[in-house]
Amino acid sequence: MKYSSGVWVKSKQGELPGYRSSVSIVEPLKLGVFTSALVSEVAEKSVWTVPAMDILVPAVQRAAWMLAPGPSLPSGHSEMVGDYAFGTRVWAQGGGLRFVASSGVVLNLTSMEGVDPSAALRGHLVNSTEGCRWLDDGPDLEIVYFDWVGGTVLRVRFMGTAFDKLR
């Protein structure tokens, strides 16, 4: 296994006299490469599947990111947008909502099935395949909650901390 471009590449090579083969797979991208050579001695031990993955994985990730459907703005998003305490901020960009807390890490906010998007949105790292593992310190800590009173957002809650809306 090899960690490359933020994903694990799983590979298996085999050899018999006069034949060498290799297969490499990146499960999250549903990407696989198989190569074979009709000789035992090959200059590149993975029969070039690992170098091929070093080229293909970043290209497939970029293509998937560019072709992914854009997020949609939830109803009432204009009230969610604004500055909150301690440098926390929510803004609209590219057809979706973005969120940044004092850590400086920007998250895309997306709706969750069965949850009112004006109440809570899930945070995903922007332009990354790493996922939210750094947020995984407990249940639902990657969720951004909006506290409303009478059609006005008073605060946003994230990772156990409430941030009052400033403007």
Side-chain angles (χ1 to χ4, degrees):
M1 287 194 359
K2 175 185 176 185
Y3 193 74
S4 177
S5 300
V7 293
W8 284 103
V9 178
K10 298 176 184 174
S11 298
K12 175 69 175 139
Q13 288 78 38
E15 178 186 5
L16 292 172
Y19 178 79
R20 187 172 191 90
S21 65
S22 177
V23 63
S24 292
I25 297 171
V26 177
E27 292 181 48
L29 297 176
K30 296 181 174 40
L31 176 64
V33 172
F34 173 79
T35 57
S36 64
L38 297 177
V39 292
S40 296
E41 294 302 316
V42 179
E44 209 292 317
K45 297 296 183 189
S46 74
V47 197
W48 296 280
T49 58
V50 172
M53 285 298 204
D54 288 340
I55 295 167
L56 288 172
V57 167
V60 169
Q61 287 174 324
R62 280 191 304 274
W65 179 257
M66 289 180 354
L67 296 173
S72 60
L73 291 168
S75 62
H77 74 276
S78 59
E79 183 58 34
M80 298 171 171
V81 169
D83 294 319
Y84 295 81
F86 306 110
T88 301
R89 187 172 158 238
V90 175
W91 70 98
Q93 181 179 338
L97 285 180
R98 300 276 175 104
F99 173 87
V100 66
S102 57
S103 67
V105 177
V106 179
L107 302 176
N108 279 326
L109 297 181
T110 58
S111 59
M112 300 172 287
E113 188 174 328
V115 177
D116 177 6
S118 67
L121 296 165
R122 183 173 304 281
H124 302 272
L125 289 173
V126 171
N127 214 4
S128 175
T129 59
E130 293 178 28
C132 285
R133 181 157 315 271
W134 64 274
L135 298 174
D136 192 15
D137 292 331
D140 299 330
L141 291 181
E142 73 281 4
I143 297 176
V144 177
Y145 299 92
F146 292 88
D147 295 337
W148 293 76
V149 172
T152 302
V153 173
L154 295 181
R155 74 188 58 83
V156 64
R157 291 181 286 121
F158 179 66
M159 295 189 73
T161 303
F163 304 95
D164 291 332
K165 188 168 186 182
L166 303 175
R167 49 190 147 118

